[in-house]
Every structure is written in structure tokens, then in C-alpha cells.
Amino acid sequence: MSFRHLIALLAVLLSFKSAAQKVTLSGYVNDAKSGERMISAAVYEKNSFTGTTTNSYGFFSLQLQQGKNDIVVSFLGYQPAGLSLDLTGDTVIHFDLELSAQQIDEVTITATRHSKVESSQMSMMDIPITKFIKLPVLLGEADVLKVIQLLPGVQSGTEGTTGIYVRGGGPDQNLFLLDGVPVYNASHLFGFLSVFNPDAVKSVQLYTGGFPARYGERLSSVVDIRMKEGNEKEVKGNFSIGLVSSKLSVEGPIIKDRTSFIISARRTYADILAIPVMAHVNRQNGNGYKTTGGYNFYDLNFKVNHKLSDRSRIYLSSYTGRDRAFFREKSTISIYSPGYSENIENSDKFSLGWGNVINALRYNYLLGNRLFANATVTYSRYRFDITSKSERRDLSSNTSSGEYFRYFSGIDDLSGRIDFDYFPSSDHSVKFGAAWTYHSFKPGVTRFRYDFDEFPNNDIDTVFGDEKIYANEFIAYAEDNFDLTSRLKVNAGLRMSLFNVQDTGYLSFQPRLSVRWMVTDNFSLKASYSKMNQFVHLLTTSAISLPTDLWLPVTRRFEPPVAHQVAVGSGFRLPWRLEMTVEAFYKSMDNLIEYKEGAFFASTGSGWESKVEKGRGWAYGAEFMIEKTWGNTTGWIGYTIARTERQFENLNYGRVFPAKYDRRHDISLALTHKFSDRFDMGMVWVFGTGNAATLGVMEYPPMQEFGGRQGYYYNYFDNITDYPSRNNYRTPSYHRLDLGVNFHKEKKNGVRTWNISVYNAYNRLNPFFILWDSVYHYEPDPNNPGQYIGYSEPVLKKISLFPIIPSFSYSFRF
């Protein structure tokens, strides 16, 4: 029997199994108060233990026996809804769930699993929005990615930043999706905050392995973030004021129960706070000196959706955000002497800016009771530019000279996508789709201009840099989630990607497989395999997420990175309503790139390919997590033990070296307790092995030619440093404790909340970076009484960034 005949026979058997005496119950699950569609709500029939979950747009389709059926719909934090139905044919019904007064404020984090519906998906977690506002964070700013950093398998980069490193991968190996659109730079405030405003976020799903076939083009993780759709029933809002930024969010119906909107804005005011500081500096420096400067960012989320019919809906979502740092200095110098006078005005300007624009137009339609279609058109843009301008003007002769420098880079994406959800039977669901994306990369363009009024023939005005790179990307996927037996569930998928760039095509087939076996009702075993390809690189020069990090596509010379990951794990319920998950993984990565030794500035725009090396890497480890999701005290403790290594033929003499964020041990504890409706508190404690760093172990003077003959002399300005290996030193371990309390009060028109938090409560001075310094000693000179001999001793100095930091914020939800 051929493979084609086997597939055909399997399809016939599955269709026959699902057809006999079955009817289809389908519809949507909504939040009763706002009308928003609910993702991953459980819908099941109590007597047959048949169930399913809603998709990303709240739709479900469930095949049941004709006759009486007892339907239960549930979602964590909501009161379950029950309904008895006598089904004689296909039926469409919508369910509205009410918030549970006891569970609404709980901080929970759980995999998508329900008491009657067990998922084959592993290495995935849903993160409820209440998580963001309960746990204490740096400067009191709730942030999606800072909560994700507390999960097993996810490591933070540098202290305070939002960068994540997942199962041995780098920062560019994480796919951030906002309403299905990739976000290339997810950082505000030089990486200390993310661009995802919690007030606009509806759901967050994190995948670290066992990737479904619908996701791809990154090696390590997927962070799928969905924006709120807006309240269809009534106008609601929230505003808050903190130390760093202020936020305002408003949502409500345009046409009640048919059209709704949400708009959420956020802005920092560091530039405003800097005004009095700059004024004081100007007063200290006199009338001839004036300086201004500051930093700010803003972001704006907007979404509107319209119900065309019971079967169709259209959405328009948009995000725009930008960071801007600037500095201006102006001074006047007057010089007078006998027979000579000069009046010079100097002006210096510097600006740094980066930002994203994301737009998505989405239309979904129910094609029958079992087939759900979703069509999307998206446009995204990322820009970075840095400008420096200096001018010197002689006010006496009215002549001037000046320098102008600008560096610019960016990415534009235009994409179209179609996705389908098909439900052949209660124990069988299929997802399939295709997409096309047109990429326009601007790797880096530099303009330099030098003007002379006195010598116009010597003016310089030039533009140089890498040429634009255009690429087309095509993907198609199919994934099948089905029950082989009542205890054995399988999710099998295949993703095909084709990336055309520089007259070169890279075709990739990426199989995915996840298996779950319910050993008992309270204990399951899972295993998964996934192959992932990536068609973009991020060249970074810093431990901090900076906008100068350069996104580049694969080229003829550097083919796509590829990763193979295998994971096995188990999940089981413990007493006291505790749940525990254990996972072990192994991941190999090929075609990775890193800067050559001493090449740190590919962003200058001149031939980045000549400044990087190609190599491979691997990571393996185990992750443990115990969580409590019910009651007044909730939270989790996670532990990861792992190793991450790299090997490049022309780096570190071809020897294996630990990756920069190789971290052997990583522990996180996150707890919240609700004392009453008016008072709750949260606590976070983290511990991690120190990061790897490259340190020289010896310095010695070079051999020089002096006086026409070979000789030696000490040149203290050009010593040679001996680096025995790459990342040969481990910084001290990192740990800290954060505490926070929330005071709520019911007011006439809403709820007021004061948040008081303390970051690094016991003032641990964690290393931000390390460097060699010198300590000078003086000892008596034995040959000259009363005289001393001085000598220096090298010491390793630790630079810490964040001591204990208290913060507070005020918010009002109306």
C-alpha cells in the first residue's frame, strides 16, 4: 500500500468515526460584562467527557450524540455556565460567562488545561492579565516580559531589562507577535520596559518548545500577545500615574453589541523632569552656555471591531510607538586682545530615535459549523536613526564650518495570511493556512557632511552603507490534533517555508510532533519534537537591548539558522490543589553568527558579512515548576538547570565555549496573597548563576624596535592583553527580593488603587558588568629610609546599577 493510499484510508476511517449519529454544537464564548471573545475557554459535555477549547477568536465546535446533552463552559476566574440541550441537529449557541467574585483578583499562571480537556501541547503557558498588576516590578511599571522572565526556561539578560533568553537561544530567536504581527524591537527605555502596554493586552501565550506548525521563523520561543477588542456593553477606562510614565485607556461600544473600540496611550515624562536640572546647569555655567536634553517614549494602541453578522466579524488594530533621546548644547565664546577679536558661537545637537508601527486588518468568517476562516492583511515598520550635528560660527566674519552625521536603518514588512480551523469530530481538530510576506531591509545607511564657508572647495557630502535588501517569504502549514485512544493524544504538523533573497531561495520543511499520554486522571506524560528555521539575524554589540542592534536577513553567504529540539515531560496534580510540571529538553542550533574577535561595529554600514563568523550551538537542561492557582494565596516556584554552549571555527581557536547567557541554575519564586478586597500583596525572589564574561588574565608590553636595534621598552599605552578563552569568567551569582502591596478602595465611579513596591528589598549589589581596575599600595623603601615605593595591584571591579529602589503609582479604574 502506497503512502497516498494510507492517508486516504486514514481520512475515510476518521470521517466514518465522526459521522455516525453525531450533531455539531458550535458558537462563541464571550465575557458577559464586556462582550469580548474568550480564548481557550473549555466547552465539554459532562456525561460523555467530550470537550474542546475555544480558538483565538472565541469560537468552538463540538460533535455530540443526538439527544440530551449537559454542556458546561468554564474559564479560570469565571463562574462556569451549564446548559441542558436536547440536540436533534446542528445547533449554534453562544455562551456568556460572568466573572467570579472569589477568583477575579487571583494571580494565576497555568497551562491551557482543564479538568475534562487535556491538551497535547507542552512547553506552553497562558499568562493572565492580572499577573501584570499584582507582582512587584522595577519602578512600579507592570510589564509583560518581566513576568515572562520569572518562568522556568526563560532567563533575563542584563538586570532590569526586558530581554529574554529561552532554552539557550539569543534575543533574536524569540518571535514577538502583537495581534499576529511580528515586532522587531520590543523595547522602550533602552530595554528596561517593553512596548506591550498591559492596559491594552487581552492574552499572552508563551511557547518554549513543542511548537505548533502555525508558528515559525524563530528558533527559541514564541510570545503571542492579543490586544483587547473593546467593551461592547458600556464605556470603561483606566488611568494611572507612576514614577516613569502615565497611562490612559478607554474602551466602549460605538454601536452597542455590534461595534466596539479600545484606545490606550502611554507616555514617559523624563524629558519634563529634566527641565529644572538643565536650567540649574545653565545657571551654573553662565549666560554664554545653554544646554537642553531629555528622553521620552510614547506608545498608542487602538483597536476597533465590528460584527457583520453572527458568522462574520472584522477587526482593525494598530500600534505606534517611538523612543527619543536628545541633547543640545550652545555656547558663545568671546576673545579680545590688542588688534584681535573673535566672537565664536558653538552649537552641538544629538538625537537618537527608534520606533515601531504595526497595522492589521482582519476578517473572520464561519464557513459552516465546523470550519472557521480568518484572513489578515498586515503592515509593519521598524525605524532607527541617530543624528549628530556640530556647527562653529564666527560672528565677527559671519563664516561657519560644521559637521553632520546620520545613521539610519529599518525594516518594512507587508503581509497577507489566511488561516483555517476545521473540527471533523470532538477528538479531532485541524489547523491549516498559508502566508506571504514582502520584506524590505535597510541594513544601515550613513551620511556624513562637512561644510567650510571659508574653503567651499573642501566641502564633503557623502552617503555610504549597505544596499537595501528585498526578500519574499512564503509559508504554508497544517497541523492535526487528534485522539488515538481515550488517553493518547497527538498533535502532528508540518510547516513549509520558502525565503527568496539575492536571487537565492531557501526551502525548508519543518516537522512538528507532540504526544500526550494520560497515565492516570492526575498524571500525564508528554514528548515533543520540533524543527525551526529562522531567516533573520540580529547583530548586537551590547548586553543591553539597544536600537543599534541590527536586524539583517540571511544572504547567499549566510544561510538560515536551524534548530532541532526534543523535549519530554510530565504533569501531575499534588495535594492542596498544587500542580507540578517537569520537562527536560535538548536543542541543537546550526548556522549561528557572532562578531569576529575585535569586530564590534557592523552597524557602521560597511560590509557586515565580513565582520561575523558562522558556527553552531546547543543547549540542554531540565525545568521544574510547582504552582498554586486557587485560593487567597497563589503563585509558583520554578527551577531550571541547564547548559548552553557555542562553537565557531574561527573563534576561541575553534574550541567550545559557554554562551554569554549560559546559566547553570535559575530559581524564581512568585507569590501573591489577598487579605481582603481592599488589600493584597506580592513577592518575587530570584536567584541565578552569574553570566559568562571574557576577561584578560595577563598584560605584558610588546616587543618594539628602538634606537636602530632590537630592544625592549615598556609602552603602558599599548599593552597586550592575554585572553585565554572566550567567556572564561563567571560573574557573581545574581539574586534579589521584590515586595509590593496594593490598596484598593471602591469609589462612587470606580476603583482607586495605590501601589507601593520595593525593588531589591535587601539591597543586593548585583553585577551589571565587571572590569579590571587598579589599587595602589605604598611600602617603605628598604634602601632609602623615609622613602616609599608605590606599586599598583590589579583588582576586578563590579559595577552595580540598581540598589534598593522604592516606587509607587496611583491608578483609577472607572
Side-chain angles (χ1 to χ4, degrees), residues 577-593:
R577 288 190 172 184
L578 299 177
E579 295 183 359
M580 182 172 183
T581 57
V582 179
E583 289 192 16
F585 70 92
Y586 178 85
K587 178 166 65 177
S588 65
M589 296 166 282
D590 294 301
N591 302 326
L592 302 179
I593 63 172

Side-chain angles (χ1 to χ4, degrees), residues 135-137 681-684 737-741 755-761:
L135 292 176
V137 289
M681 68 175 299
M683 180 192 79
V684 168
L737 173 69
D738 305 333
L739 300 172
V741 294
N755 169 269
I756 301 174
S757 60
V758 179
Y759 181 88
N760 195 7

Side-chain angles (χ1 to χ4, degrees), residues 146-156 622-626 636-642 663-671 683-690 733-738 762:
K146 283 191 173 68
V147 175
I148 289 178
Q149 289 175 354
L150 301 175
L151 303 177
V154 182
Q155 298 174 2
S156 61
E623 302 161 2
F624 306 83
M625 185 173 183
I626 299 177
W636 76 93
I637 181 170
Y639 170 64
T640 303
I641 180 171
R663 189 171 299 171
R664 196 74 63 248
H665 304 283
D666 193 272
I667 303 173
S668 60
L669 172 65
L671 293 175
M683 180 192 79
V684 168
W685 183 76
V686 294
F687 172 88
T689 303
S733 296
Y734 179 97
H735 56 88
R736 75 169 198 276
L737 173 69
D738 305 333
Y762 54 78

Side-chain angles (χ1 to χ4, degrees), residues 343-379:
N343 198 16
I344 302 298
E345 182 183 80
N346 293 309
S347 175
D348 294 292
K349 297 179 180 180
F350 172 83
S351 66
L352 172 68
W354 69 95
N356 300 278
V357 173
I358 294 171
N359 297 291
L361 179 63
R362 180 172 289 104
Y363 172 74
N364 55 48
Y365 188 78
L366 184 58
L367 300 165
N369 296 327
R370 300 186 183 185
L371 183 61
F372 182 90
N374 188 75
T376 311
V377 177
T378 68
Y379 169 75

Side-chain angles (χ1 to χ4, degrees), residues 179-235:
D179 270 2
V181 186
V183 180
Y184 285 99
N185 189 324
S187 297
H188 279 316
L189 198 62
F190 299 98
F192 289 87
L193 287 176
S194 79
V195 300
F196 307 114
N197 184 350
D199 289 349
V201 172
K202 176 183 179 180
S203 68
V204 181
Q205 292 182 327
L206 169 70
Y207 297 82
T208 60
F211 301 98
R214 60 188 179 274
Y215 295 114
E217 284 59 72
R218 294 295 190 276
L219 301 189
S220 292
S221 78
V222 176
V223 182
D224 191 354
I225 299 175
R226 301 281 173 166
M227 286 173 55
K228 292 179 180 178
E229 298 169 5
N231 195 309
E232 294 182 351
K233 309 292 185 181
E234 58 183 341
V235 176

